[in-house]
Amino acid sequence: MNVPQVGTSAIYDELAKGADFLPRIQLYTKGRAIDKQLISPGHFGVPKKDDEIVDLGDSIDIIPIARRPKAVDLSDTDAIIVSYDSASDEFKRIQDTSAESESGCMYGISYLVLERTTGELYEFFFGSKSLRAAAKTLNGYCAISQADIDAAKAAGKNVDSIQPRGPLPVTLASRLVDKGKFSWHVPEFAPCSTPFTSNPGPGAMEQEATKFVTAKSEGVTKVEGGKRRAR
């Protein structure tokens, strides 16, 4: 059971190909990377080519710069489907199908994050059931705009004490969840007080954030040697 990932790392590398390549952070718990001792269980890592993983350790400090919905259908690796439109029929189909055992489908929130030790931007996809639950906490560290406050007020919430602000730094540590037959790691959150002294620069971060939130659904991505989905 590999909670934070459906499919192999090669599939995700294929999805990330192109000029707009954005490396990703993953929380590893079980699977091929663990079996090959490329990284320890409960560690956060950045997968690279040729079975290389940059091990970030069992805790990381990040700032959530931007976020977007994301759904991925990996059931046919010859025709991977990615959707960023939560209102689309394709996204809803993937969301519904994800409840099926070994469906190859996952959905949730994709975050653009700044990681403190590397000073670089990454995608961190909270696409499994346990990570979606954890995303509720991470959302509390995201920026709050006046539009967010106005929308909450219109919904009848008491937001008189809330002011617009930027995103907040947060520490993610991994925790093992043991349910007898199955076990997996989930992130735990705490405010981060360590300064972020390295980053791509405000202009680069703003540009990447704009690109991140305005990305169009990729439709179908071809991967050689994949397995056809039953129709």
Side-chain angles (χ1 to χ4, degrees):
M1 181 177 181
N2 190 351
V3 173
Q5 174 172 311
V6 173
T8 66
S9 293
I11 293 173
Y12 288 92
D13 291 340
E14 185 68 25
L15 283 170
K17 282 183 178 179
D20 294 331
F21 172 78
L22 183 66
R24 60 186 173 87
I25 290 177
Q26 180 180 324
L27 174 57
Y28 289 84
T29 183
K30 291 183 179 180
R32 177 173 171 272
I34 304 297
D35 295 340
K36 296 187 70 173
Q37 298 183 340
L38 301 176
I39 193 169
S40 298
H43 280 215
F44 299 87
V46 179
K48 302 287 187 179
K49 292 181 179 180
D50 301 324
D51 277 348
E52 178 188 354
I53 298 174
V54 177
D55 190 343
L56 299 176
D58 59 4
S59 69
I60 56 173
D61 298 331
I62 63 169
I63 298 177
I65 305 296
R67 55 185 168 172
R68 66 187 177 194
K70 183 176 182 179
V72 184
D73 182 347
L74 299 168
S75 59
D76 178 356
T77 55
D78 273 338
I80 296 171
I81 298 172
V82 179
S83 175
Y84 301 122
D85 182 2
S86 61
S88 70
D89 291 340
E90 196 65 85
F91 192 105
K92 293 175 181 177
R93 179 192 67 78
I94 295 172
Q95 180 175 343
D96 291 342
T97 307
S98 70
E100 301 174 7
S101 176
E102 299 184 4
S103 66
C105 292
M106 57 198 306
Y107 76 96
I109 303 175
S110 175
Y111 296 89
L112 175 67
V113 303
L114 173 66
E115 197 277 323
R116 183 182 60 80
T117 60
T118 61
E120 302 210 6
L121 295 170
Y122 301 92
E123 178 186 19
F124 199 160
F125 181 35
F126 282 49
S128 68
K129 183 177 181 180
S130 59
L131 287 177
R132 286 194 300 273
K136 296 177 182 178
T137 302
L138 184 55
N139 284 339
Y141 291 86
C142 293
I144 299 175
S145 68
Q146 186 59 52
D148 294 328
I149 296 172
D150 293 342
K153 185 178 295 185
K157 297 181 180 178
N158 183 2
V159 291
D160 292 341
S161 62
I162 300 177
Q163 298 294 323
R165 60 160 176 78
L168 302 175
V170 55
T171 297
L172 276 63
S174 68
R175 175 175 62 87
L176 180 65
V177 177
D178 191 346
K179 295 294 184 180
K181 187 176 181 180
F182 299 108
S183 63
W184 62 93
H185 290 85
V186 297
E188 289 191 318
F189 304 86
C192 173
S193 58
T194 306
F196 281 62
T197 57
S198 178
N199 61 68
M205 286 196 291
E206 182 177 354
Q207 182 179 22
E208 193 62 51
T210 299
K211 190 190 309 180
F212 189 81
V213 299
T214 58
K216 302 298 182 182
S217 296
E218 298 294 336
V220 173
T221 300
K222 297 293 184 180
V223 179
E224 293 184 4
K227 182 180 180 181
R228 284 286 177 190
R229 174 171 51 234
R231 298 190 184 277

